Amino acid sequence: MQDLNFPKFSFRFKSSENKISIFDSIRKKFVILQPEEWVRQHCLHYLMHVKSVPKSLINVEKELVVNDLKKRYDIVVFNPNGTIHLIIECKAPNITISQNTFDQIARYNLVLNADYLMVTNGFNHYYCQMDFKAERYIFLKDIPNYKL
């Protein structure tokens, strides 16, 4: 897999039946290493090792219902009180981040009400803080370090 625009992290891999898997420390299992998964695993390590997010407050690939449709978010970070701090939408490195990507995460946030949003393809990262009163998002240079 190619280098991404993240710090260098160490990962656990295994190979079986001609497929490479990477260990997901949140889901506590090996998952097939696809390009989007490579980005997701970098995001998870970034959250835990750079932004100091406790593992216990991170959720990966869970279902939610948006306008009667079943969807799956990539990563959610919770606040200790159970509200949602951050939603991350990961795309494969070859996918260009577009308005559609922002629309997708905005639809998820209609249900989840996160304070922050992050969209990444591993190379380009976009960070937003929600302004619920003005019904808009404010672009940031980075998401803040996590504080309990």
Side-chain angles (χ1 to χ4, degrees):
M1 285 281 159
Q2 63 197 108
D3 286 342
L4 300 176
N5 182 19
F6 282 102
K8 297 281 185 232
F9 300 114
S10 71
F11 298 98
R12 287 175 47 203
F13 299 97
K14 81 173 185 179
S15 180
S16 67
E17 299 174 15
N18 294 328
K19 291 186 179 169
I20 297 175
S21 296
I22 187 168
F23 188 75
D24 182 318
S25 60
I26 302 301
R27 291 179 275 184
K28 296 183 174 76
K29 66 179 184 177
F30 281 93
V31 291
I32 301 293
L33 183 56
Q34 301 285 347
E36 184 179 312
E37 191 62 47
W38 185 233
V39 174
R40 185 170 24 254
Q41 291 305 314
H42 276 80
C43 278
L44 290 171
H45 281 257
Y46 178 74
L47 291 171
M48 294 181 292
H49 302 293
V50 176
K51 293 300 178 179
S52 304
V53 177
K55 272 188 196 183
S56 62
L57 296 177
I58 301 173
N59 215 315
V60 177
E61 283 210 306
K62 296 287 189 217
E63 188 176 279
L64 75 154
V65 177
V66 180
N67 297 329
D68 295 326
L69 298 172
K70 290 182 180 181
K71 301 289 185 181
R72 291 181 84 72
Y73 60 71
D74 285 309
I75 302 170
V76 162
V77 174
F78 290 92
N79 291 307
N81 67 2
T83 60
I84 296 178
H85 177 70
L86 167 69
I87 306 169
I88 301 175
E89 180 60 32
C90 301
K91 297 294 183 191
N94 64 319
I95 302 295
T96 302
I97 303 297
S98 66
Q99 185 62 47
N100 287 343
T101 313
F102 286 100
D103 293 346
Q104 177 184 4
I105 200 168
R107 280 191 302 275
Y108 292 177
N109 207 33
L110 289 173
V111 175
L112 299 173
N113 295 311
D115 298 320
Y116 296 93
L117 308 177
M118 177 180 171
V119 175
T120 182
N121 64 4
F123 295 115
N124 301 301
H125 315 302
Y126 299 93
Y127 312 96
C128 306
Q129 182 174 13
M130 295 305 301
D131 179 348
F132 289 105
K133 274 189 177 168
E135 295 182 349
R136 65 185 183 109
Y137 33 75
I138 302 158
F139 283 90
L140 307 171
K141 290 191 185 304
D142 198 356
I143 51 174
N145 287 344
Y146 194 84
K147 293 181 180 74
L148 287 175

